Amino acid sequence: MPRGHQGRLRKAKAFAKKLLRELKGDALPSPAQVESERGSETGDGNVQVHLGPPVPTASQGRNEPESDSDGKDELCPKPKRARKKYAKCDRFSARKKKVRDIWTDVFEGKPTLAELNEVVSDENKAIQFLASKGAITIPTICGRCNSGVTPDWKRHQSRCQKANCVWKPPTECEICPCKDMQTVPVSTVDEGKQCQNAECGWTWSPGKPWTCSFFRKSFLSDCRLPKNEVLLLLYLWLTNATHTMVCTLLGWNNETATRWLKWCRKMAQEIVVSQPHDNNMIGGNDIIVEIDESKFAKRKYHKGRRVKGSWVLGMVERTQQRRMVLLVVPDRTKKTLEHAIMTFVHPGSTIHTDMWKGYISLDRLGYDHKTLCHKYEFVSAEGTHTQTIEGNWTPLKRAIPVQCRSGVDLQEYLFQFMWRRKNEGREWEALWEGLARVRLTVQELERMDQERERVCEDDDEDYVPIDDAEEAEKAEEEAVETNDYDDFVASFGDLDLTPVEDGGTMENEAVNDSAETEEERLREDIAYEVIAEMLEGGVVDRSIFYHDTGARAII
């Protein structure tokens, strides 16, 4: 063997033994021992074999710093973590736990479609789910003899055929809430009972059993659609599904989808209106309420055909929940705005508004009123601003279709927006709470809508809207030329369109006090003082100050 090879062979065997000890799990040598065994290239050509970085010993602690002769930390490989083994039955247990029980669990927000698939795939399960939420009532007791009955799930009704029940005349109508039942002849021998309600006309004859549908006196009365599809529609409405998605997923035609989506908006409106008035009021002591008004459906660049827009008064409290009140008002006069604010804002609230003249007398009504001029600043030095309500106009207008931003449909979308904001995070539970309290069918809401349209048409006969100050100025010039200026002032008010730089007021600001005399102003000051004293003493209710022109907002 050549000279020098024996020494290299001996060192290679020693290093192989160390590797075997590491593989067996024995104690590893310390870094100092490894460093001492390293040898640089000698004069006789011997080279120390080195494989990989040094491994720390088991005796050294985890937190003890390791450093070489230069004072630098040595890189140590992390030990591999043992892979946890799962049984086949437990492999997807974590995934199954994420699916909540649709029957018992309380959902934050809305359930997923996978969690709802159990009840929307079968109509009978959907009916049982609606009954568990209180939206419908499955009768289990006869309404005549108070005996137990078995529900018929094939016909979706309950029927009592006991001998002592079919011959017992009813005391009230079994179809409508009417209790006026008159005796009428039904044959030459027997006499029956007939409901005196002209829209019902239900007649009972001897031998006719008591029968009650699962959907009687509920929102599904006279509904021929599968009930699981109606349940899926409510879920799609909560998720802000579009009209096209509803038609595609449910297979409905356009008229059916339009009718039921409108019913959802009207139901949200009825749920909000049916609550106690104090629940719909916002603000309070040490709570800031921002108020602003916005014009919906105005002309772009003030060009094109004339558009009859609608003024919307928005009020939002500066809290974490950001509760809102949105009302369609006929105009922006001081009288209209004051009565709307007194109706929906608690006394003692701090109100932030711009410099519009309609808010000038809020201090006299028991509010801490602070203003700022948007022409010069958006946030004052004291922190007064209306950025919260200003930031809600854009998402609100985007949520309302262009063709529905005026007319009677606008208030329905505003109530829907208010309901979603008030129940944000618990829409699923709030929906069933409202349907258990308000059970109006599609036909009933349509009749109510026709009545509201008739009332609004009567109120709008003499109402002509002004879109902007430019049109008001043109109307004023035409009125002066035709010597009809008094009618113009009576219709639109005395508008001062002179810029501030020329000594006038702000643009679009109505000068309501220009035509008042000193005596009228004095009367108004005294009236405001009397109203404030009556409100503070609790002598009168605030709702009596809500005048007829603002009633259109909550109809």
Side-chain angles (χ1 to χ4, degrees), residues 17-69:
K17 292 180 180 180
K18 295 177 183 178
L19 292 179
L20 290 175
R21 287 198 302 271
E22 292 178 10
L23 295 177
K24 292 179 180 180
D26 296 339
L28 301 178
S30 62
Q33 296 176 357
V34 176
E35 187 67 26
S36 62
E37 293 178 0
R38 290 180 182 174
S40 58
E41 186 175 358
T42 58
D44 56 353
N46 296 335
V47 180
Q48 174 67 31
V49 180
H50 174 63
L51 297 176
V55 182
T57 59
S59 61
Q60 291 179 335
R62 283 187 174 182
N63 298 329
E64 295 180 1
E66 299 176 0
S67 58
D68 51 7
S69 59

Side-chain angles (χ1 to χ4, degrees), residues 50 79 86-87 93 118 183 192 210 238 242 244 267 270 274 277 294 332 352 429 480 512 532 538 543:
H50 174 63
Y86 294 93
S93 59
E118 178 185 356
T183 303
W210 178 85
L238 285 180
T242 61
T244 305
M267 184 58 65
E270 295 298 329
S274 64
H277 183 66
S294 179
R332 295 189 300 166
H352 290 186
E429 302 298 333
V480 172
N512 297 323
S543 60

Side-chain angles (χ1 to χ4, degrees), residues 282-289 319 346-350 366:
I282 62 175
N285 295 330
D286 300 330
I287 296 179
I288 299 175
V289 178
T319 56
H346 284 287
S349 304
T350 303

